[in-house]
Amino acid sequence: MNVLEKDKRDFFEYIDPAYAPETSVVCRYRNAFTFGAADEDAAYKQTLLRTSLREGVRIFRLLTYRGVDIHILDESSLMHTGTLKSIDGCISAAKCKLRGYTRVVFESGGNTGTALTEYCGRAGLETFLFVPEENLSLLDSKIFLSGKAHLISVAKAGWVKKSAHLFKGLNDIQHIPEVAWRYEASRFRGCFIFEYSAKSGDFDWIAQTISAAFGPIGIYSVLNGFAGNHAIPRFLGVQQEANSPMYKAWKSRDGQLDTRALPPDVCGKLLTRVMYDVTPQTYGTYEDLKRLLTVTRGDLTPINHSEFSDLF
């Protein structure tokens, strides 16, 4: 996937006005990228149009705090499955169709699994979702009514990822999504931020919660591509204190990531149940995140239970 990054005038020429950002950022910005050779590119873009349901976003001004205007990037209320993971679902379903997959397995705390089940299921795939047992009540049961949608609960959250990969190997089923697909999904979000900024003014900072940091890495791969045309906002990543390997590596003297698995009891200390993944450092994204932080003069910060409770 390559962004067409000559200058911002070229970017606006590739926007499909038939799709508003509130309807689908995937469909609106699909032509701003190339996806391989010409025939492969055309086939994939056509498939995206077929797998798209609703992947809408918007930005609105929230308030001014101590002289700082704060805007919210709403990536939930206009999404088909209620979270930004609808973009991942759309892209994953298209990738699977083009590759001829018929059965796929994945793990999730809830949001990603819901989107992948919904989008891949509508595309005709048989799906196997592994989730922590205590998260079952967070899921919409209607999404799993299809005979091709299988939901497997795992007693301990720390076993979910291993269980899904073991199931993959034993049954010769494709595991999704790939890391590259996650970056790709976030690049569509980057296109929207760039378009909005070009029309309404640049932001000084972008702040976002992170786990493996797929989101900011994908977003900034687009924003940095247009660095000569607009100011690049600095990035502030927020990671939950109980599970913050990226933050600890960024702040450590040697800058090295601790790849060891965290103790099983960490799951009980997480801020919310959907933040179940205690090994986000295993995706191999830290070096990309570190480069992003360096280029944007950004930073990472943790949030603990007390701070989280004060806000919510």
Side-chain angles (χ1 to χ4, degrees), residues 145-305:
L145 292 177
S146 166
K148 285 191 172 185
H150 308 287
L151 180 61
I152 303 101
S153 65
V154 181
K156 295 185 178 181
W159 295 350
V160 172
K161 188 181 294 186
K162 291 182 180 179
S163 299
H165 282 272
L166 179 62
F167 184 85
K168 163 191 175 292
L170 291 174
N171 295 278
D172 193 26
I173 297 176
Q174 189 66 36
H175 181 273
I176 65 168
E178 297 178 7
V179 170
W181 301 2
R182 293 177 180 262
Y183 282 174
E184 186 174 310
S186 297
R187 289 186 179 114
F188 286 101
R189 299 159 60 198
C191 286
F192 172 68
I193 294 172
F194 176 72
E195 181 187 2
Y196 184 93
S197 299
K199 293 177 178 178
S200 304
D202 293 321
F203 295 106
D204 298 302
W205 285 83
I206 292 178
Q208 179 183 326
T209 56
I210 66 166
S211 180
F214 300 119
I217 293 169
I219 288 170
Y220 275 89
S221 71
V222 173
L223 300 184
N224 289 334
F226 296 95
N229 297 279
H230 75 127
I232 302 297
R234 299 174 71 180
F235 177 69
L236 176 63
V238 182
Q239 196 161 49
Q240 54 180 333
E241 187 175 74
N243 183 26
S244 53
M246 308 299 198
Y247 166 76
K248 291 175 181 175
W250 176 246
K251 295 297 184 181
S252 68
R253 290 184 177 181
D254 58 11
Q256 296 300 306
L257 186 68
D258 187 351
T259 58
R260 293 174 297 177
L262 296 179
D265 63 349
V266 167
C267 293
K269 302 175 183 177
L270 303 181
L271 297 180
T272 68
R273 283 182 285 168
V274 295
M275 297 178 176
Y276 82 102
D277 189 355
V278 295
T279 56
Q281 69 271 38
T282 60
Y283 291 101
T285 58
Y286 179 65
E287 290 302 318
D288 287 338
L289 175 62
K290 187 162 65 172
R291 281 191 292 271
L292 184 163
L293 292 168
T294 301
V295 169
T296 67
R297 296 179 296 118
D299 203 0
L300 299 179
T301 188
I303 181 171
N304 58 37
H305 271 281

Side-chain angles (χ1 to χ4, degrees), residues 57-106:
V57 301
R58 60 177 178 148
I59 290 177
F60 60 91
R61 181 180 174 278
L62 180 64
L63 52 82
T64 298
Y65 179 74
R66 295 185 178 181
V68 177
D69 292 331
I70 299 175
H71 293 75
I72 296 294
L73 174 59
D74 176 7
E75 300 176 306
S76 57
S77 63
L78 301 178
M79 293 283 178
H80 179 71
T81 59
T83 74
L84 61 87
K85 299 304 182 180
S86 289
I87 304 175
D88 295 80
C90 178
I91 287 170
S92 296
K95 299 281 190 186
C96 290
K97 291 295 289 183
L98 286 177
R99 295 186 180 187
Y101 299 159
T102 58
R103 307 167 76 206
V104 291
V105 59
F106 40 88

